Amino acid sequence: MASASLRSLTFGQKLLILAVLAFTIGPFAPLIIQSLAFRWAWPDLLPSVWWLEQRQISPFPLAWDYVLSPTSKVLEATVNTIGIGVAVSLLCLLICLPAARVLARANFRGKKRLEFFLSLPLLVPEAAIGIALLMIFTGLGLSGTYVGVIIVHLIPTVPYMVRMLTAVYQGLDQGFEDNARVLGANDWQVLTRVTLPMLMPGVLAGALFTFLVSTNLFLLTFFIGQGSIVTLPTLLFSQISGGAMGATAAGIALVASLPGLILLVLSDRLIREEAFALGIGE
Amino acid sequence: MTQLRLTDLSKEFSDQVAVRAVNLSIEAAEFIVLLGPSGCGKTTTLRMISGLETPSAGAILFDGEDMTSVPVQHRHVGLVSQRFNLFPHMRVYDNVAFGLSVRGIPASKIKAQVHDMLEAVQLSEYADRFPSQLSGGQMQRVAIARTLVTCPKVLLLDEPFASLDTSLRTEMRSFLKQLQRDMGMTTVLVTHDQVEAMDLADRIAVMFDGELAQLGTPQQVYHHPKSERVARFMGHSNIFECTVLAEEKIETPFGPLDASTNGAAAGRSRAMVRYEAIELVEPSDHSSAQCQINRLSGTVEAVEFLGAVTRCAVQVGAHRLVMDQPSTSVLEVGQPVNLQIHRDHIGVLSR
């Protein structure tokens, strides 16, 4: 079916799709080339010496040899990044689900102002938040700890999540929950058997988004983590802070983009299955 | 079978009174229809019975037991709403089983009961479908099955036919009526459709502006409305000024008439006659005195063919009366006619 619809596209449409593909995949090409280069100096368009030509000297691409070795801390950073990302997503959900429910269902004085207030963290520069919080967190003994980093990651993610889940909640007719209660379900049963399953596509999308934001946060992690908590973004920045783009940096950049890619594929499948179960896929 | 009583039931929302001191006694196994225009408080009343809305004042009693403060999930009522609200992520089987499984009934028992119920609504072969794969009528039957399988004390229906098309509506109406008779379940249905109300109800409770305007059998409410508003809401009628002279006697613009005065006090009032209650009679000089009662003569002024009936406006003296005749009788504009209205069908309305 996909090929049939591809053929039915006009030349212009095909050109547009090609352009989109070039823009999305394009930036990765130099990274891949760089990570496989042996020597690549300015102004050469392509590496002057490829790793493959020098495989007698290094049986493994140099960059990847370093990236995969324990000295690079890539493994530790990956585990940290994913761990923090999961924790942030779950906490964010826990905070935002009840908040979104109230924002979507209830009417109270100052609701509009509260909604604006909730998006304020997105307007204030991260550096300002980071420096201010570092002072507070140091006083509290939270700087350089996982707890501190997780809390600080909630700052830019909560506003997005609240907005997303409010929209999702608004799409859920209260009649479903009412009917469940009339049928004898208690609050917990309503939540776990009706509300959450029905909100699942939105919740999943929100959690995925939070995870991606969290795994890409550099500045806040850097400030609060105090260098003792290494994540993929901080590792990458330490490699490229000099302005040069080395082969190892390219390798780390590629590793750093992996969690997002894997999650994207996973969530796409999950959401599609969910949508099918809801009968939307038919 | 549960007897249901509402005493001085009221509901105030922040800016308005939705229901004002409604008193209603519903017999066990009775089918009551709450009828009224939108915003009259009928749905709020239903939601208060279900427990989804908390009354501001008054009480709800099931078999004499006060249920006013019992939470929704412990009331054992059934609610079928306009949009059915079937759980879209559950198959038909799980939708019907929901009310049993949340009450902790063992799976083996649930299975038997759900299958029996699906059989009763003729949906056995649809057990594995998702709601989105069903037609409107099938969704409605699942919604009813899901509710009835829990054996509710009171069945509450909120405009259950509103989202169905006309032919299906009639079919589902008789299906529901049969089911209610068979199961002998105390039922309260909310609708704004008076035809639906008269078809289904044992008794109709007409509501306006949060108040109970009249309670009675469909015949009583239709033919003997207490007020002009009920008369107009239930169907077409001629409404005219009158003066009550004595019991069963009124003076009207069409002359003195015998009427059912419903105990109205002497004095100025209004009276009503349904379009179809006016009979066309042959002029006869030799008829008995009995036949001369409430006899009027006039001229056909306008004729409207409406399929089943022909609607004619007849000029009687200085005033007009509208009447419905079976469309098989042929009437022409300008034709002189003799009319008779039975005294039971002239009702004096309270102000």
Side-chain angles (χ1 to χ4, degrees):
Chain A
M1 200 192 99
S3 60
S5 57
L6 205 60
R7 234 175 284 138
S8 67
L9 295 177
T10 64
F11 178 71
Q13 286 167 323
K14 281 180 193 163
L15 211 65
L16 270 175
I17 289 179
L18 265 176
V20 168
L21 281 177
F23 275 114
T24 11
I25 301 173
F28 285 98
L31 287 180
I32 295 169
I33 294 171
Q34 173 79 280
S35 73
L36 294 176
F38 193 81
R39 185 178 306 137
W40 192 7
W42 193 83
D44 297 339
L45 205 59
L46 283 171
S48 49
V49 184
W50 289 85
W51 153 72
L52 210 60
E53 300 165 40
Q54 298 294 327
R55 59 182 177 279
Q56 306 93 328
I57 303 172
S58 111
F60 212 65
L62 270 184
W64 289 107
D65 193 39
Y66 173 74
V67 165
L68 298 178
S69 78
T71 16
S72 71
K73 286 193 177 177
V74 165
L75 183 69
E76 185 195 338
T78 310
V79 171
N80 275 349
T81 306
I82 293 175
I84 293 170
V86 169
V88 168
S89 307
L90 290 179
L91 273 174
C92 199
L93 269 181
L94 220 60
I95 295 168
C96 297
L97 267 172
R101 184 185 181 87
V102 172
L103 285 175
R105 298 263 169 90
N107 260 318
F108 49 88
R109 273 169 59 109
K111 184 171 160 183
K112 281 270 175 302
R113 254 167 290 167
L114 182 70
E115 277 172 354
F116 172 72
F117 185 74
L118 278 174
S119 49
L120 267 185
L122 302 177
L123 304 179
V124 181
E126 258 180 48
I129 300 176
I131 291 167
L133 275 179
L134 179 58
M135 292 196 272
I136 300 170
F137 277 23
T138 307
L140 294 172
L142 284 174
S143 59
T145 65
Y146 285 103
V147 177
V149 170
I150 289 170
I151 291 177
V152 86
H153 276 204
L154 288 172
I155 292 173
T157 50
V158 162
Y160 285 119
M161 184 77 116
V162 163
R163 279 180 174 254
M164 254 172 132
L165 290 183
T166 305
V168 170
Y169 248 116
Q170 275 163 346
L172 177 71
D173 189 329
Q174 200 169 346
F176 292 103
E177 290 166 322
D178 281 353
N179 256 299
R181 287 199 288 153
V182 172
L183 286 167
N186 58 35
D187 291 350
W188 177 249
Q189 287 168 325
V190 172
L191 182 72
T192 53
R193 293 199 186 192
V194 178
T195 314
L196 283 183
M198 286 187 72
L199 294 180
M200 200 40 88
V203 167
L204 224 58
L208 168 72
F209 192 79
T210 308
F211 183 83
L212 288 180
V213 170
S214 164
T215 51
N216 282 312
L217 272 182
F218 164 69
L219 207 54
L220 290 173
T221 319
F222 179 68
F223 273 130
I224 304 299
Q226 292 283 287
S228 56
I229 300 214
V230 184
T231 64
L232 287 170
T234 60
L235 199 64
L236 185 60
F237 270 75
S238 69
Q239 288 285 333
I240 60 170
S241 52
M245 178 73 181
T248 39
I252 295 172
L254 283 173
V255 173
S257 55
L258 275 182
L261 282 174
I262 293 169
L263 215 68
L264 196 72
V265 173
L266 263 176
S267 70
D268 187 52
R269 277 193 60 184
L270 265 170
I271 289 174
R272 215 176 286 184
E273 272 169 30
E274 196 67 36
F276 181 76
L278 287 171
I280 304 159
E282 293 264 313
Chain B
M1 277 185 248
T2 308
Q3 193 227 10
L4 173 65
R5 215 151 69 92
L6 312 179
T7 55
D8 288 326
L9 197 65
S10 304
K11 178 70 187 181
E12 279 175 45
F13 290 110
S14 54
D15 49 344
Q16 64 184 41
V17 181
V19 177
R20 210 186 303 258
V22 166
N23 283 289
L24 191 57
S25 237
I26 301 168
E27 296 305 317
E30 193 177 20
F31 200 135
I32 286 274
V33 173
L34 297 180
L35 176 68
S38 60
C40 74
K42 55 192 194 303
T43 297
T44 307
T45 306
L46 197 81
R47 285 174 64 85
M48 283 194 281
I49 300 173
S50 73
L52 289 170
E53 212 76 73
T54 315
S56 310
I60 298 156
L61 298 100
F62 290 2
D63 281 333
E65 191 190 338
D66 192 347
M67 301 295 277
T68 320
S69 52
V70 175
V72 195
Q73 65 263 35
H74 297 132
R75 279 205 197 184
H76 278 277
V77 295
L79 175 68
V80 177
S81 47
Q82 186 179 337
R83 275 166 294 181
F84 314 140
N85 291 332
L86 298 179
F87 305 127
H89 56 293
M90 295 182 200
R91 294 172 192 278
V92 167
Y93 177 92
D94 297 310
N95 261 287
V96 177
F98 185 84
L100 300 174
S101 75
V102 292
R103 290 196 169 107
I105 291 167
S108 55
K109 259 190 170 173
I110 293 179
K111 198 170 179 189
Q113 276 178 276
V114 171
H115 281 303
D116 285 353
M117 190 41 76
L118 283 176
E119 198 135 314
V121 296
Q122 298 142 32
L123 283 175
S124 298
E125 64 262 48
Y126 294 91
D128 290 331
R129 298 259 185 117
F130 281 104
S132 58
Q133 298 166 308
L134 301 178
S135 70
Q138 289 165 339
M139 284 201 260
Q140 165 127 66
R141 279 186 281 163
V142 175
I144 292 173
R146 176 175 75 168
T147 297
L148 291 184
V149 80
T150 62
C151 294
K153 289 178 181 166
V154 180
L155 178 60
L156 306 169
L157 304 152
D158 186 7
E159 306 252 6
F161 310 114
S163 56
L164 303 178
D165 57 52
T166 322
S167 59
L168 195 58
R169 206 175 294 177
T170 323
E171 188 190 316
M172 285 310 297
R173 219 152 68 191
S174 52
F175 171 78
L176 179 71
K177 203 157 126 182
Q178 195 56 48
L179 209 63
Q180 196 266 345
R181 298 272 139 87
D182 291 349
M183 303 195 66
M185 198 167 285
T186 311
T187 305
V188 182
L189 181 142
V190 156
T191 183
H192 60 266
D193 181 338
Q194 68 278 15
V195 178
E196 190 175 301
M198 289 187 280
D199 178 19
L200 290 167
D202 291 324
R203 283 191 299 164
I204 295 176
V206 186
M207 285 184 77
F208 292 122
D209 305 328
E211 289 180 72
L212 192 59
Q214 190 171 354
L215 175 68
T217 63
Q219 289 80 3
Q220 282 168 344
V221 174
Y222 183 79
H223 282 301
H224 305 289
K226 278 186 187 161
S227 66
E228 182 172 342
R229 209 160 166 205
V230 175
R232 286 191 193 278
F233 190 74
M234 294 307 297
H236 298 292
S237 54
N238 298 285
I239 293 178
F240 44 85
E241 301 289 331
C242 74
T243 308
V244 179
L245 302 172
E247 203 173 323
E248 312 282 284
K249 288 275 181 211
I250 60 172
E251 179 64 41
T252 71
F254 312 103
L257 293 173
D258 282 12
S260 55
T261 47
N262 300 322
R268 293 190 58 78
S269 191
R270 303 192 96 179
M272 75 115 206
V273 179
R274 291 272 175 225
Y275 285 4
E276 68 279 7
I278 302 174
E279 282 174 84
L280 200 61
V281 289
E282 292 299 317
S284 60
D285 305 337
H286 310 292
S287 55
S288 65
Q290 185 64 38
C291 293
Q292 295 300 328
I293 292 171
N294 289 355
R295 203 170 253 238
L296 306 167
S297 52
T299 322
V300 176
E301 286 287 310
V303 177
E304 251 179 286
F305 178 75
L306 299 177
V309 297
T310 302
R311 184 158 296 168
C312 322
V314 180
Q315 192 75 29
V316 181
H319 290 80
R320 267 190 178 196
L321 278 177
V322 182
M323 64 171 194
D324 281 349
Q325 286 295 310
S327 61
T328 42
S329 64
V330 180
L331 286 166
E332 275 161 28
V333 175
Q335 184 183 340
V337 285
N338 287 291
L339 312 174
Q340 191 163 28
I341 312 166
H342 194 275
R343 71 155 69 132
D344 285 351
H345 290 134
I346 305 175
V348 175
L349 303 166
S350 66
R351 291 249 147 184

